[in-house]
PDB file of all heavy atoms in Angstrom:
ATOM      1  N   VAL A 169      -4.702 -15.343 -11.030  1.00 92.00           N
ATOM      2  CA  VAL A 169      -5.715 -15.407  -9.963  1.00 92.00           C
ATOM      3  C   VAL A 169      -5.309 -16.341  -8.869  1.00 92.00           C
ATOM      4  O   VAL A 169      -5.587 -16.045  -7.684  1.00 92.00           O
ATOM      5  CB  VAL A 169      -7.104 -15.821 -10.589  1.00 92.00           C
ATOM      6  CG1 VAL A 169      -8.119 -15.980  -9.567  1.00 92.00           C
ATOM      7  CG2 VAL A 169      -7.507 -14.795 -11.615  1.00 92.00           C
ATOM      8  N   GLY A 171      -2.011 -17.552  -8.215  1.00 87.00           N
ATOM      9  CA  GLY A 171      -0.606 -17.562  -7.742  1.00 87.00           C
ATOM     10  C   GLY A 171      -0.462 -16.988  -6.305  1.00 87.00           C
ATOM     11  O   GLY A 171      -1.155 -16.042  -5.946  1.00 87.00           O
ATOM     12  N   SER A 194      -4.798 -11.579 -34.759  1.00 92.00           N
ATOM     13  CA  SER A 194      -5.578 -12.501 -35.607  1.00 92.00           C
ATOM     14  C   SER A 194      -6.866 -11.872 -36.034  1.00 92.00           C
ATOM     15  O   SER A 194      -7.513 -12.319 -36.979  1.00 92.00           O
ATOM     16  CB  SER A 194      -5.864 -13.746 -34.820  1.00 92.00           C
ATOM     17  OG  SER A 194      -6.847 -13.504 -33.897  1.00 92.00           O
ATOM     18  N   ASP A 196      -7.018  -8.862 -37.292  1.00 90.00           N
ATOM     19  CA  ASP A 196      -6.633  -7.827 -38.205  1.00 90.00           C
ATOM     20  C   ASP A 196      -6.463  -6.486 -37.492  1.00 90.00           C
ATOM     21  O   ASP A 196      -6.618  -5.420 -38.102  1.00 90.00           O
ATOM     22  CB  ASP A 196      -7.548  -7.596 -39.432  1.00 90.00           C
ATOM     23  CG  ASP A 196      -7.449  -8.867 -40.272  1.00 90.00           C
ATOM     24  OD1 ASP A 196      -6.403  -9.385 -40.551  1.00 90.00           O
ATOM     25  OD2 ASP A 196      -8.597  -9.349 -40.688  1.00 90.00           O
ATOM     26  N   LYS A 264     -20.562 -15.263 -37.382  1.00 82.00           N
ATOM     27  CA  LYS A 264     -19.757 -14.659 -38.407  1.00 82.00           C
ATOM     28  C   LYS A 264     -18.283 -15.136 -38.281  1.00 82.00           C
ATOM     29  O   LYS A 264     -17.801 -15.195 -37.096  1.00 82.00           O
ATOM     30  CB  LYS A 264     -19.809 -13.113 -38.261  1.00 82.00           C
ATOM     31  CG  LYS A 264     -21.021 -12.578 -38.766  1.00 82.00           C
ATOM     32  CD  LYS A 264     -20.973 -11.024 -38.706  1.00 82.00           C
ATOM     33  CE  LYS A 264     -22.165 -10.346 -39.313  1.00 82.00           C
ATOM     34  NZ  LYS A 264     -22.016  -8.916 -39.289  1.00 82.00           N
TER      35      LYS A 264
ATOM     36  N   LEU B 843     -16.880 -15.409 -34.546  1.00 90.00           N
ATOM     37  CA  LEU B 843     -16.904 -14.273 -33.596  1.00 90.00           C
ATOM     38  C   LEU B 843     -17.262 -14.923 -32.158  1.00 90.00           C
ATOM     39  O   LEU B 843     -16.747 -14.432 -31.119  1.00 90.00           O
ATOM     40  CB  LEU B 843     -17.978 -13.264 -33.975  1.00 90.00           C
ATOM     41  CG  LEU B 843     -18.303 -12.154 -32.978  1.00 90.00           C
ATOM     42  CD1 LEU B 843     -17.061 -11.326 -32.637  1.00 90.00           C
ATOM     43  CD2 LEU B 843     -19.402 -11.245 -33.535  1.00 90.00           C
ATOM     44  N   TYR B 846     -14.238 -15.848 -30.098  1.00 93.00           N
ATOM     45  CA  TYR B 846     -13.570 -14.756 -29.415  1.00 93.00           C
ATOM     46  C   TYR B 846     -14.368 -14.163 -28.238  1.00 93.00           C
ATOM     47  O   TYR B 846     -13.835 -13.845 -27.219  1.00 93.00           O
ATOM     48  CB  TYR B 846     -13.390 -13.562 -30.475  1.00 93.00           C
ATOM     49  CG  TYR B 846     -12.288 -13.866 -31.459  1.00 93.00           C
ATOM     50  CD1 TYR B 846     -12.606 -14.324 -32.733  1.00 93.00           C
ATOM     51  CD2 TYR B 846     -10.938 -13.776 -31.083  1.00 93.00           C
ATOM     52  CE1 TYR B 846     -11.605 -14.640 -33.642  1.00 93.00           C
ATOM     53  CE2 TYR B 846      -9.959 -14.049 -32.015  1.00 93.00           C
ATOM     54  CZ  TYR B 846     -10.305 -14.479 -33.303  1.00 93.00           C
ATOM     55  OH  TYR B 846      -9.269 -14.717 -34.191  1.00 93.00           O
ATOM     56  N   ARG B 864      -9.267 -12.535  -4.106  1.00 88.00           N
ATOM     57  CA  ARG B 864      -7.908 -12.223  -3.648  1.00 88.00           C
ATOM     58  C   ARG B 864      -7.915 -11.154  -2.613  1.00 88.00           C
ATOM     59  O   ARG B 864      -8.854 -10.298  -2.575  1.00 88.00           O
ATOM     60  CB  ARG B 864      -7.012 -11.770  -4.792  1.00 88.00           C
ATOM     61  CG  ARG B 864      -6.663 -12.901  -5.776  1.00 88.00           C
ATOM     62  CD  ARG B 864      -6.180 -14.173  -5.146  1.00 88.00           C
ATOM     63  NE  ARG B 864      -4.935 -13.960  -4.445  1.00 88.00           N
ATOM     64  CZ  ARG B 864      -3.780 -14.315  -4.973  1.00 88.00           C
ATOM     65  NH1 ARG B 864      -3.680 -14.977  -6.157  1.00 88.00           N
ATOM     66  NH2 ARG B 864      -2.625 -14.161  -4.310  1.00 88.00           N
ATOM     67  N   GLU B 875      -7.132  -5.036 -14.432  1.00 92.00           N
ATOM     68  CA  GLU B 875      -6.514  -4.905 -15.752  1.00 92.00           C
ATOM     69  C   GLU B 875      -7.016  -5.961 -16.737  1.00 92.00           C
ATOM     70  O   GLU B 875      -7.239  -5.784 -17.899  1.00 92.00           O
ATOM     71  CB  GLU B 875      -5.006  -4.911 -15.715  1.00 92.00           C
ATOM     72  CG  GLU B 875      -4.487  -3.706 -14.991  1.00 92.00           C
ATOM     73  CD  GLU B 875      -4.871  -2.429 -15.654  1.00 92.00           C
ATOM     74  OE1 GLU B 875      -4.670  -2.307 -16.889  1.00 92.00           O
ATOM     75  OE2 GLU B 875      -5.450  -1.570 -14.978  1.00 92.00           O
ATOM     76  N   ARG B 890     -14.035  -6.283 -35.943  1.00 91.00           N
ATOM     77  CA  ARG B 890     -13.614  -7.002 -37.132  1.00 91.00           C
ATOM     78  C   ARG B 890     -14.757  -7.610 -37.951  1.00 91.00           C
ATOM     79  O   ARG B 890     -14.662  -7.631 -39.161  1.00 91.00           O
ATOM     80  CB  ARG B 890     -12.626  -8.144 -36.697  1.00 91.00           C
ATOM     81  CG  ARG B 890     -12.292  -9.143 -37.741  1.00 91.00           C
ATOM     82  CD  ARG B 890     -11.543  -8.504 -38.921  1.00 91.00           C
ATOM     83  NE  ARG B 890     -11.307  -9.506 -39.975  1.00 91.00           N
ATOM     84  CZ  ARG B 890     -12.187  -9.890 -40.947  1.00 91.00           C
ATOM     85  NH1 ARG B 890     -13.418  -9.431 -40.880  1.00 91.00           N
ATOM     86  NH2 ARG B 890     -11.856 -10.774 -41.858  1.00 91.00           N
TER      87      ARG B 890
END
Side-chain angles (χ1 to χ4, degrees):
Chain A
V169 176
S194 77
D196 296 316
K264 286 186 173 182
Chain B
L843 172 60
Y846 287 101
R864 293 308 298 257
E875 290 304 305
R890 169 62 184 82

